[in-house]
Amino acid sequence: MQALELILVLFTVILVSSVLDQVLTRLSLPLVQIAMGVIGALIIGEPFKLTFDSELFLVLFIGPLLYDESQHVAKRAMMKNAGAILSLAIGLVVASVFAVGFTLQWIVPSIPLAAGLALGAALGPTDGVAVSALSKSTTLSDRQSAILSGESLINDASGIVSFQFAVGLAVTGIFSVKDAATTFAISFGGGLAFGVLMGIVVIMIQRAVRGIGLESTVFHVTFEILTPLFINLLAEKLGVSGILAVVAAGLLIALIPTRSTVYAARVSLVSEGVWEVMAFILNGVVFVFLGSHLPSIFTHEWEDDSKPLSLATAVIVLTVVITVLRFLWIVVLDLGARKRGSIPHDLPWGAFFLQSCATTLGGPKGAVTLSIALTLPQSLQGTNGALIRDELLFLASGIILCTLLLANFVLPVLAPAQDSQEDEARDTAVRVLVKRRLIEAVRDELGQEHPRGVSLLIARYNREIGELTMGKEFESAVGEQRTNLLREQARYLEQLHRAGEIDQSVYVAFKQANERLMRAVKMRTSQRLSLRRIAMRLRRGLRDRVLRTGKASRPEVSQEILDVRGKFARFNLNYLQGLTPETEASRHATDFLIMENQRTLTLLGNMQAGQGTTMTLAAEQNMLEVEALRLELGCIQELREQGAITTAEASKLRDEVYLLQMNLSDYGAQ
């Protein structure tokens, strides 16, 4: 029962951290979760000090997180910067081992060189989770992002192997350069080779199951979750790096193209949703785990050590050493990139060094470092015969905090996040470009056979273009006028009811609908337009189908309801045409709403011909929507091939079209 209570407390802490992350915008999520872990350990005490087997921790938490991260890194950018990534992931890790080892022996003579080397190896890996979290508050170049992501995926293996040799030297006093190099090569190269092999096996299994028609969304997602665990365990059994095998398999699986279909999009959406939740929970456990250990480590060492200030000084000195070493290493790499043209030759030297400094601070230490350090043997002794494991844990924890704080507070100053308005403007321009190309395609492909339906569809697309391109002033004017219009509709409804022109059931239905629309308008005007792209199209498509068939709300649309809708549309037109807008935005908003109500009258006019015509119109519109989405995929591909939109933008737009296609297929199945 105590374990269950601890799990519930842990998940509650992680859930609260997700809320605090939205409030404490100056702190990155890892720091918020570390702070929550510290607070939990201080309030609850020893029961909250989470204990895991360190090797199990790497397999159960770090492995899946790196597997998920490897699925989303920019593969081309990573391959382009492979030399720099390997230099940082192997060369810098080895250099850090010796830099930390000799520096620590110099400032704290009681700690032997071998133990210092072990600490340096534990401090070698950067934290991929923290790197991902920092991207929300900073703007890094594609090269910087690729280097930091690739480094964090690979340097775990080099750090773990180096750590094992250093610990062996500290415990036995025996070290062989030949044996160390051989074991390192086997672990590193073997991990890559085994990961590639397992990636091929995974792809073959997926295709075999899909080929015999047994694949389902549940199978696919469950298989994805189990894949990194099995690969990690099998690799470790073979004596190669499990972490590196997981990363290599993830990269290979992500590189192999899959055929784009509606079903594939459905599976991808479900998979991404599951991994997003899992990654958030695993990340939270990792950093709360780190925070829960800090109070006991710091308190114990501060109380028991005869010179606690010397250890605090050592934390600062070692942080400076590894930061300066990393900065110099990156400067050399950036100078080489500048000569090759990867970094512009005309970039001022001040901006060049600031860029190198940003890359330096973008690689903080994290839970991987702590999990490695926790595997230090309890019997590790200093030169004076005293046990030194707690001192090394104190140093590792202090350096982790220092690097995370530097990354959180200094990195955003060096590489501040870009104004989101520029990204939103680009997103709007791309969507408008696709929509206008789609209008041409729909008119050319379908206009002659279905002139009435195509005219309605194009009118809707033009209205969506208007909504996409409207400024904040125009959007506000539309919301204000729509709110006033709904108030007038409510009064008109009361008049119709008092005059006995509508019965009680129709009156109640329209009154409730009017109130829902009023709430929706208020909610809509309070949200940013960029967050409503897909929802806008889904809502509008569903509303149009309800207007045509009433299928989503009731089996059929009665003649009385059609009559009342027509009265409302004509009332709206009279009201809007009688307005005298005072501003340009108000005038455009009035025209926008007039066009909307004219389209409603057109649809109702077609429906007045009878139920048979109504069904014909509905079937035609559904068919046209399906065809239009197919044409939209072609338009997106054409624009990408022409260079008008990027590959990433095309991929995002295609995913949205797939979502809309699923919405149509789900609606048709009802």
Side-chain angles (χ1 to χ4, degrees), residues 308-627:
L309 291 178
S310 64
L311 287 179
T313 303
V315 167
I316 297 173
V317 172
L318 291 175
T319 301
V320 172
V321 167
I322 61 176
T323 302
V324 171
L325 176 62
R326 180 177 174 84
F327 174 73
L328 295 176
W329 199 284
I330 289 174
V331 166
V332 173
L333 293 176
D334 286 350
L335 286 173
R338 186 185 180 102
K339 290 181 180 179
R340 294 190 303 271
S342 299
I343 295 177
H345 293 284
D346 57 351
L347 183 68
W349 285 107
F352 172 85
F353 286 113
L354 283 178
Q355 191 178 86
S356 299
C357 190
T359 309
T360 300
L361 298 183
K365 314 304 175 184
V368 177
T369 290
L370 183 62
S371 63
I372 295 175
L374 287 173
T375 63
L376 285 166
Q378 296 283 354
S379 59
L380 202 60
Q381 295 182 351
T383 56
N384 56 4
L387 298 178
I388 59 172
R389 181 178 184 272
D390 289 340
E391 294 182 10
L392 295 176
L393 289 178
F394 179 92
L395 293 172
S397 302
I399 294 170
I400 289 171
L401 278 182
C402 288
T403 56
L404 282 173
L405 290 171
L406 285 172
N408 185 88
F409 293 106
V410 180
L411 183 58
V413 177
L414 299 175
Q418 290 181 347
D419 189 354
S420 60
Q421 292 182 355
E422 296 181 5
D423 296 334
E424 186 173 342
R426 171 62 185 175
D427 185 60
T428 298
V430 167
R431 293 174 186 278
V432 170
L433 181 62
V434 172
K435 194 66 63 180
R436 286 174 176 162
R437 180 68 64 90
L438 177 59
I439 289 174
E440 297 176 3
V442 168
R443 185 182 289 116
D444 294 341
E445 296 283 339
L446 307 171
Q448 293 184 353
E449 296 183 11
H450 309 279
R452 179 184 58 178
V454 166
S455 64
L456 294 175
L457 197 60
I458 290 177
R460 194 182 90 193
Y461 290 154
N462 283 322
R463 183 171 66 252
E464 290 180 4
I465 291 176
E467 291 191 11
L468 287 168
T469 55
M470 68 173 61
K472 291 183 178 180
E473 185 180 359
F474 184 31
E475 184 180 4
S476 175
V478 170
E480 181 180 354
Q481 287 200 18
R482 200 185 294 277
T483 301
N484 294 334
L485 186 59
L486 288 171
R487 291 197 184 100
E488 294 299 324
Q489 282 184 184
R491 297 190 184 98
Y492 180 60
L493 181 64
E494 294 294 336
Q495 293 176 7
L496 293 176
H497 185 236
R498 287 195 298 268
E501 297 185 29
I502 56 175
D503 60 31
Q504 182 67 22
S505 61
V506 175
Y507 165 73
V508 172
F510 273 87
K511 184 177 181 180
Q512 292 175 347
N514 188 274
E515 292 172 352
R516 287 196 299 269
L517 286 172
M518 184 74 75
R519 290 194 297 269
V521 169
K522 290 180 180 179
M523 182 183 299
R524 179 180 181 181
T525 55
S526 66
Q527 294 174 341
R528 297 185 62 179
L529 187 62
S530 60
L531 300 178
R532 298 183 283 107
R533 303 298 194 192
I534 302 177
M536 177 184 72
R537 295 184 63 183
L538 289 173
R539 183 181 65 249
R540 192 173 303 286
L542 180 60
R543 187 194 68 186
D544 290 343
R545 289 194 293 277
V546 171
L547 180 61
R548 291 194 299 271
T549 66
K551 183 175 181 180
S553 57
R554 54 182 61 86
E556 58 180 336
V557 180
S558 68
Q559 188 61 44
E560 184 176 7
I561 289 177
L562 293 178
D563 291 340
V564 175
R565 284 179 176 169
K567 290 179 180 180
F568 266 54
R570 285 186 287 273
F571 171 81
N572 292 344
L573 284 174
N574 291 331
Y575 171 78
L576 292 167
Q577 291 169 350
L579 295 176
T580 53
E582 299 179 355
T583 65
E584 187 73 11
S586 298
R587 184 176 65 81
H588 285 298
T590 302
D591 294 340
F592 178 83
L593 293 174
I594 287 175
M595 180 180 66
E596 189 176 77
N597 282 275
Q598 286 175 339
R599 179 173 181 270
T600 300
L601 278 177
T602 301
L603 285 171
L604 290 171
N606 284 295
M607 296 176 73
Q608 294 293 340
Q611 186 68 17
T613 304
T614 299
M615 294 304 296
T616 301
L617 176 63
E620 182 185 47
Q621 287 289 283
N622 282 328
M623 182 273 294
L624 289 175
E625 287 184 10
V626 172
E627 288 298 309

